[in-house]
Amino acid sequence: MSLRDEVLGVLMLAGDRYCSGSGLAAQLNVSRTAIWKAIEQLKAEGVDISSVTRRGYKLNAPPDVFNAAYFESLTINCHTRWKAQYFEEIGSTNDYAKELAAKGAPAGTVIIADKQTAGKGRLGKHFHSPEGGLYMTILLRPDLPFSDMMAITACTASAVHEALAEFGIVTKIKWVNDLFLNGRKLCGILSEGSFNAEMLTMDYLVIGIGINLHPDPNLPEELRSIVTDIEAETGQKLRRFELCAAICRHLERFIDGILERTYLPIYTEHSMTIGRMVQVKAAAGECIAKAVGYADDAGLIVEHADGTREVIRTGTAVFVD
Ligand code: BTN
């Protein structure tokens, strides 16, 4: 990490408090001149820093920029060592996370980007990922059987729901893993992984999350009535890295409680699927039925016209009422 990043990290962690030049120099093991140069560099970049004689330096408005030390401080109470890497632009955060996973990167690695040039959606679709969104992928190595895959996806949707709720944004969850705000899609989730076929366990899992934070002036015509963003709906400009850290914290909590299904009350209470007529398209065929609840592993329970019930665990459900 550069000295500039380290100084910014200490100032962000200090919040409203002043940090003296000599204190910063001692903490970061460099000269006071080096600290002064780093502060000047930050100011030249537009970071709003007060310098007061005999008190030191303070951030007036903490910038919404990535800082590894600050990100780690936001997840300090987690047992997972969340370590983030940030890119202004990337092909796909999921693809990059898979490359890292194959090379042995640890669980807790998080890839964050402002923009994706080859964003991937479910069912092989392209995921429109312009600047103005939060695109992140979390690498996990859960000691869980493959059969818990659907529950992990539901844990992720519940974690994003809870993280947004910390900022006063209450979303609805569409089975399996889309989040909606005021009737339009706000967030999509794509989980991919590598599995041990002999043990039927997960080797690694990458969970990609795309959230629209700000309006996209170039939003394709066909998406205009379907998607939305947080700023358009609430007027809020969310701090991306704080949202990202909150998602990591909630995801850890729900995965810790996966055997007790602690995500299910949130996942069920905020469902926009239960009670709706859905057309289910799965490998086994298609049907139209009423969504009536969730199984323990987040499989969708549907009721057919003759009153029989079935649990759907693959495919998609499209509203038809
Ligand atoms: C969907 O709605 O179909 C799922 C979209 C998942 C998008 C996220 S953005 C971050 C991560 N990287 C990708 O290429 N895709 C996921």
Side-chain angles (χ1 to χ4, degrees), residues 2-292:
S2 68
L3 182 61
R4 169 213 175 274
D5 288 354
E6 287 188 281
V7 170
L8 182 58
V10 176
L11 294 181
M12 287 173 89
L13 288 171
D16 269 351
R17 281 178 292 118
Y18 277 90
C19 300
S20 71
S22 55
L24 282 165
Q27 184 175 345
L28 301 175
N29 206 16
V30 293
S31 67
R32 285 183 63 174
T33 311
I35 295 292
W36 179 82
K37 280 187 184 159
I39 295 279
E40 287 307 302
Q41 183 187 346
L42 287 164
K43 284 184 178 173
E45 288 169 20
V47 181
D48 186 2
I49 301 176
S50 286
S51 316
V52 175
T53 318
R54 281 193 284 279
R55 292 186 79 184
Y57 307 105
K58 178 173 86 77
L59 281 177
N60 293 323
D64 187 23
V65 294
F66 178 69
N67 184 274
Y70 183 60
F71 185 82
E72 282 165 38
S73 80
L74 295 171
T75 52
I76 196 96
N77 292 325
C78 293
H79 58 76
T80 307
R81 213 160 155 255
W82 297 110
K83 259 196 163 313
Q85 295 181 29
Y86 165 73
F87 297 85
E88 277 177 15
E89 183 178 307
I90 199 168
S92 154
T93 53
N94 267 28
D95 283 348
Y96 186 61
K98 282 195 285 183
E99 270 176 43
L100 294 184
K103 289 183 196 151
T109 301
V110 184
I111 310 301
I112 306 171
D114 275 350
K115 179 179 175 187
Q116 297 185 118
T117 51
K120 301 188 320 181
R122 287 186 73 213
L123 308 170
K125 290 186 187 152
H126 168 73
F127 187 75
H128 183 64
S129 318
E131 225 173 286
L134 168 63
Y135 311 105
M136 60 184 279
T137 296
I138 294 173
L139 166 59
L140 296 175
R141 296 186 182 275
D143 188 14
L144 290 168
F146 177 59
S147 53
D148 271 325
M149 186 66 215
M150 177 160 273
I152 292 183
T153 298
C155 284
T156 309
S158 307
V160 176
H161 176 278
E162 290 292 271
L164 287 167
E166 283 190 22
F167 297 88
I169 297 157
V170 182
T171 53
K172 289 276 179 200
I173 305 171
K174 180 172 175 287
W175 185 83
V176 180
N177 55 6
D178 284 338
L179 276 84
F180 278 62
L181 187 57
N182 299 337
R184 292 185 184 179
K185 181 161 162 170
L186 180 73
C187 164
I189 297 170
L190 174 67
S191 306
E192 302 180 83
S194 158
F195 304 97
N196 181 323
E198 277 178 18
M199 306 298 287
L200 294 182
T201 52
M202 299 179 204
D203 173 14
Y204 68 77
L205 195 59
V206 296
I207 306 178
I209 302 166
I211 305 177
N212 307 323
L213 299 181
H214 306 297
D216 169 17
N218 302 314
L219 189 66
E221 184 63 43
E222 66 276 14
L223 294 179
R224 291 206 179 138
S225 60
I226 301 173
V227 305
T228 193
D229 63 89
I230 287 172
E231 190 180 346
E233 297 295 335
T234 70
Q236 283 193 70
K237 291 186 190 234
L238 282 200
R239 298 173 61 76
R240 289 167 300 167
F241 304 104
E242 286 167 25
L243 174 60
C244 179
I247 292 172
C248 293
R249 291 196 301 268
H250 286 288
L251 184 59
E252 177 182 277
R253 176 167 71 86
F254 285 128
I255 289 186
D256 283 351
I258 199 162
L259 298 179
E260 295 79 35
R261 309 301 189 197
T262 52
Y263 63 90
L264 257 188
I266 297 289
Y267 193 68
T268 307
E269 182 187 344
H270 299 282
S271 169
M272 64 187 280
T273 303
I274 294 174
R276 301 283 302 264
M277 292 300 293
V278 289
Q279 179 183 35
V280 177
K281 289 188 185 171
E286 283 184 35
C287 67
I288 291 185
K290 184 172 183 179
V292 291

